[in-house]
Amino acid sequence: MDNEKTPYETNPVESPFDAICAFVEAYDVLLACLAEHGADADELRTAIFRPVCPESGGAPIGIYEIGVIFDHSAGKYGINRKKLNKALLTREADVRALFSQEDGILPNLCDFLLEFLGREESEPIDAATLRFLNECRRLFAMLA
């Protein structure tokens, strides 16, 4: 598990859809690494799953609303591809806001991950965190 590469390192992405899918895969890899090493992931979950109010004035949007799901049978996070595609078609500006506006997921998450790297003292956790941070940066660049 510790050496599992993220999609950032193995797959090109060509669209926001692909970048969001890669982000979720990398998130799941980081959570598995944290669990394997007994680290607490509550702050990470809070950073990702809180709703964001788009500056455009639309209704709040959260990551579950765009199709990010926890598959209990597989024990990991995944994407409801139809729901994500619909969100990108009908609420593209809100999805961009969710991830990239100043109080969105990615700016907060990148700050959190940089701080988290200074707290944890485990090489595998640091590697998984850096890999996830790379996915966050790639998604931000795709959506900004």
Side-chain angles (χ1 to χ4, degrees):
M1 173 68 63
D2 293 336
N3 294 323
E4 188 171 336
K5 294 189 184 270
T6 66
Y8 179 84
E9 297 165 305
T10 60
N11 301 325
V13 298
E14 299 178 7
S15 68
F17 182 93
D18 293 340
I20 292 169
C21 290
F23 168 85
V24 172
E25 286 180 48
Y27 173 68
D28 199 60
V29 168
L30 176 57
L31 285 180
C33 182
L34 292 173
E36 184 177 312
H37 294 283
D40 184 19
D42 288 343
E43 288 180 274
L44 178 62
R45 284 186 187 96
T46 299
I48 289 181
F49 291 99
R50 66 175 186 70
V52 173
C53 293
E55 292 171 349
S56 65
I61 186 169
I63 202 156
Y64 285 121
E65 292 173 83
I66 66 166
V68 175
I69 56 171
F70 185 77
D71 181 348
H72 291 282
S73 63
K76 62 187 223 170
Y77 284 90
I79 296 280
N80 177 323
R81 298 175 88 71
K82 287 173 107 176
K83 196 169 183 178
L84 176 58
N85 195 42
K86 182 177 180 181
L88 287 168
L89 289 172
T90 62
R91 295 185 72 185
E92 181 182 7
D94 292 344
V95 172
R96 288 181 186 278
L98 171 66
F99 285 103
S100 61
Q101 79 180 19
E102 189 175 326
D103 66 340
I105 291 173
L106 295 173
N108 289 320
L109 192 54
C110 288
D111 290 344
F112 169 78
L113 291 171
L114 290 171
E115 179 187 313
F116 185 76
L117 282 168
R119 279 192 269 165
E120 293 301 319
E121 305 234 353
S122 167
E123 213 171 291
I125 291 174
D126 285 350
T129 302
L130 283 171
R131 287 180 167 141
F132 182 58
L133 183 58
N134 285 339
E135 285 295 345
C136 293
R137 289 175 174 157
R138 175 166 71 171
L139 179 56
F140 188 81
M142 179 73 67
L143 295 176

